[in-house]
Amino acid sequence: MTDILVDSNVILDILTEDPQWFEWSAQILTKYANQGNLVINPIIYAEISIGFNQPEELEAPLPQQYFRRDPLPYTAAFLAGQSFLEYRRRGGERRSPLPDFYIGAHAAVTDMPLLKRDINRYRTYFPSVQLITP
């Protein structure tokens, strides 16, 4: 069985019934749930949580039997910082690391494929990460 890190945009497509992406996201999540473990981390959880008022409300759409919750490894936090530094050197304007840097670094240091819809920054800053995209 394979562990797959699932980005918030794929989960949010389903929760919001996104007209463009719902079908693809639902099919791909089902496919990988049948092949391995779907994994989220605190950054992904935080991104999804903004649509809910209480943590208990978020447990129903993210049941722990389907979404394993992994901590963000410290080595991933370090890599996120280093990748962000490279982003700044290349002219990036943001002043603090973006969630994408933490998520990409988590996938990189744990050698987990990353299931997501968009690839901004990932190919540039985390070229070793296997991306599962449309």
Side-chain angles (χ1 to χ4, degrees):
M1 291 190 75
T2 303
D3 293 340
I4 306 288
L5 189 61
V6 181
D7 196 18
S8 58
N9 59 13
V10 175
I11 297 167
L12 288 170
D13 289 343
I14 294 167
L15 297 180
T16 63
E17 297 183 13
D18 183 275
Q20 181 177 355
W21 293 105
F22 175 83
E23 187 173 320
W24 181 84
S25 293
Q27 288 177 353
I28 203 80
L29 268 182
T30 300
K31 174 184 175 180
Y32 284 102
N34 291 326
Q35 295 179 11
N37 299 309
L38 302 177
V39 180
I40 60 173
N41 65 29
I43 305 295
I44 296 164
Y45 188 90
E47 289 182 322
I48 297 166
S49 75
I50 63 171
F52 298 87
N53 294 320
Q54 300 292 322
E56 299 79 20
E57 295 173 11
L58 187 50
E59 291 305 311
L62 290 178
Q64 291 191 35
Q65 67 265 29
Y66 296 114
F67 292 96
R68 190 178 81 207
R69 287 145 170 81
D70 281 6
L72 184 69
Y74 278 86
T75 54
F78 183 84
L79 178 57
Q82 296 300 304
S83 298
F84 180 74
L85 180 61
E86 181 61 25
Y87 159 83
R88 293 282 295 155
R89 286 181 179 144
R90 292 180 181 199
E93 296 180 8
R94 299 286 178 114
R95 296 284 176 201
S96 61
L98 305 169
D100 289 348
F101 286 99
Y102 292 106
I103 294 166
H106 187 175
V109 303
T110 58
D111 200 29
M112 266 193 277
L114 176 59
L115 174 58
K116 72 180 288 83
R117 271 195 290 106
D118 56 343
I119 59 170
N120 334 346
R121 297 186 192 91
Y122 292 94
R123 294 259 189 251
T124 302
Y125 299 104
F126 305 102
S128 68
V129 172
Q130 176 190 345
L131 297 175
I132 303 167
T133 60

